[in-house]
Structure formats: C-alpha cells, structure tokens
C-alpha cells in the first residue's frame, strides 16, 4: 500500500520543502485566505460558465490526454487581479527557487476543471514537456490551488509519492498511487518529475484547480503570457511580475546600459 500524500501547514516552510523532497509532492494547507479565494473563485467560475466542455473536435482542444469532460482556461491573469497574487505567493516562490536551484520564471498558468463523469487521465510527468531536450534534474515546480475541495471521488490529482526519483523504466502499480485530497484554499506543490494524473470524477459536481508551472530562468516556457493575455494587461502588473512572466516592456535596455 502506498503511503498517503502528506499535508503540511503553510506556516512550516521547512517541512513543506522536506516533504516535497521526500515524496515529490505535498499538500500545503490553508495557503490562501478566504477573501482571496472568494474573489478568484467567483471570477473563474464565471469564466468557466462561458466555455464548453472540451468534448468535441469542433471545440478544439479536447483530447484523450486533456479529457473530454474537462474545461481548461489559459491567460489566467485576465480573470481577476488577485490571481497574480496567487501566482506570486511568497511561500510558493521561495519553495520554487529552492527546488529549482535557480530564479524561477513562469512556464504556464491553467484552470483545470474536471467535470462529472471524466475518466482518469493518463499517468505522466510534467517535465516530459521538455523530454526531447534530454535534460536532467528538476526542471519544473508546480502548484495547483484547490478552488473546490479535492476528493478521491471528484477527481483529486492522483500522485505516486517518491516517483520523482524512480528510474524511467521502473514498473508501477495502482497501489503506488494516492489521491491528493485537499480542502479548498490548500495547494498541491509537486515536482515536474513526479508521476501523476488528473483523477476520475465520480460525483455530480466539478472539481476546479488553478495551476501554475515554475521553471528555471534559462528554460523555454510552454506559454507566452504576452500572447495569451489581453493587450495591455501585462503593462499594468508590478515589475517583479513582469520579469517573472518574461515580459520586458523596456526591451533589453537594462542589459545594454
Ligand atoms: O487536473 C489535474 O489534477 C492534473 C492534470 C494534469 O496533470 C495535466 O493535465 O497535465
């Protein structure tokens, strides 16, 4: 039987890191305040109501990997200003910096809503996005914020604790995996090398997560935030956030002097 995915309070940064290091994933409890959640949640639920389930070819991005009873949103900073604060949470940035061993930059932001009847996604590692580059080490740190409770029944992310250190050819069994159950307002921190997937949703409600990927400053991001967000939005953000997003309105002047 696999160990359960461990939870650590947001107050204990050292233990968050130690658990991430041991298991490749950790639930950080009560990372976000109720007022932040209220605003973010409301804005995202409004945005989700306007897009279809990605279950037909005509609607574009539905696939066996991304799911057909799933909704996904990108350009997530457009939905409400407080989403930027979530992305730049000091505990998240500190853990990402330590985990990657480098200053982190934005790779992608995504709302992942798993609807009733969705099946379990294929198991994978997110660092596999860069597999053709044949790089090793920790290339990606991820955070999924629970905007609804995440339960084993409603599609909580399924994770194999410790798998971030497994050899690529190690066989795995169902018993190696646990559901990353967490309460709304908590977040799953995980390594880009840990085996995981979106879970099956056997309930009649939708599970909603807000995902951010953090990569070392030298790696190619998956999302170009300047393109996925409405024109002008990134200009209104704090300089540190623009820098994190790779958005440099002043061009390279700062480097050239
Ligand atoms: O929705 C989730 O919990 C995880 C989804 C995922 O791992 C992915 O789409 O890459």
């Amino acid at each position: 039987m696999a160990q359960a995915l461990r939870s650590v309070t947001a107050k204990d940064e050292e233990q968050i890191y130690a658990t991430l290091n041991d298991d490749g994933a950790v639930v950080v409890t009560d990372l976000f305040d109720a007022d932040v959640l209220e605003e973010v949640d409301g804005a995202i639920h409004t945005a989700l109501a306007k897009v279809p389930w990605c279950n037909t070819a005509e609607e574009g991005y539905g696939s066996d990997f991304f799911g057909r009873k799933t909704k996904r949103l990108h350009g997530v900073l457009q939905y409400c200003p407080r989403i930027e604060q979530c992305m730049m949470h000091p505990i998240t940035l500190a853990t990402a910096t330590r985990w990657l061993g480098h200053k982190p930059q934005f790779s992608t932001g995504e709302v992942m809503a798993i609807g009733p009847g969705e099946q379990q996604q294929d198991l994978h590692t997110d660092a596999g996005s860069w597999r053709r580059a044949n790089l090793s080490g920790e290339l990606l740190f991820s955070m999924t914020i629970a905007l609804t409770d995440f339960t084993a029944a409603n599609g909580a992310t399924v994770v194999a604790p410790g798998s971030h250190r497994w050899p690529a050819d190690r066989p795995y069994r169902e018993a190696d995996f646990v559901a990353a159950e967490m309460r709304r307002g908590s977040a799953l921190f995980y390594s880009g090398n840990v085996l995981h997937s979106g879970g099956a949703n056997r309930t009649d409600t939708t599970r909603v997560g807000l995902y951010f990927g953090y990569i070392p400053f030298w790696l190619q991001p998956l999302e170009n935030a300047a393109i996925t967000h409405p024109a002008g939005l990134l200009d209104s953000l704090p300089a540190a956030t623009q820098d994190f997003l790779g958005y440099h309105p002043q061009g390279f002047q700062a480097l050239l002097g």
Side-chain angles (χ1 to χ4, degrees), residues 79-140:
Y79 299 115
C80 103
R82 282 194 141 167
I83 292 178
E84 182 254 336
Q85 291 170 22
C86 295
M87 177 179 79
M88 301 300 280
H89 194 294
I91 294 176
T92 309
L93 289 182
T95 310
T97 303
R98 196 168 162 194
W99 187 249
L100 298 171
H102 290 286
K103 183 178 167 190
Q105 64 163 328
F106 174 83
S107 176
T108 187
E110 193 168 329
V111 173
M112 298 174 174
I114 297 187
E118 183 60 279
Q119 58 193 18
Q120 185 177 337
Q121 187 183 35
D122 286 347
L123 295 161
H124 61 281
T125 66
D126 287 342
S129 300
W130 294 273
R131 65 185 170 279
R132 288 198 181 85
N134 217 11
L135 300 163
S136 57
E138 293 292 341
L139 299 178
L140 173 68

Side-chain angles (χ1 to χ4, degrees), residues 44-103:
I44 285 180
H45 277 87
T46 304
L48 282 171
K50 294 183 187 151
V51 298
W53 297 104
C54 45
N55 55 1
T56 70
E58 296 79 53
E59 282 153 6
Y61 56 105
S63 75
D64 288 336
F65 180 76
F66 291 112
R68 301 201 181 262
K69 292 178 179 160
T70 291
K71 294 186 184 188
R72 292 188 180 232
L73 303 173
H74 290 94
V76 296
L77 302 180
Q78 68 189 285
Y79 299 115
C80 103
R82 282 194 141 167
I83 292 178
E84 182 254 336
Q85 291 170 22
C86 295
M87 177 179 79
M88 301 300 280
H89 194 294
I91 294 176
T92 309
L93 289 182
T95 310
T97 303
R98 196 168 162 194
W99 187 249
L100 298 171
H102 290 286
K103 183 178 167 190

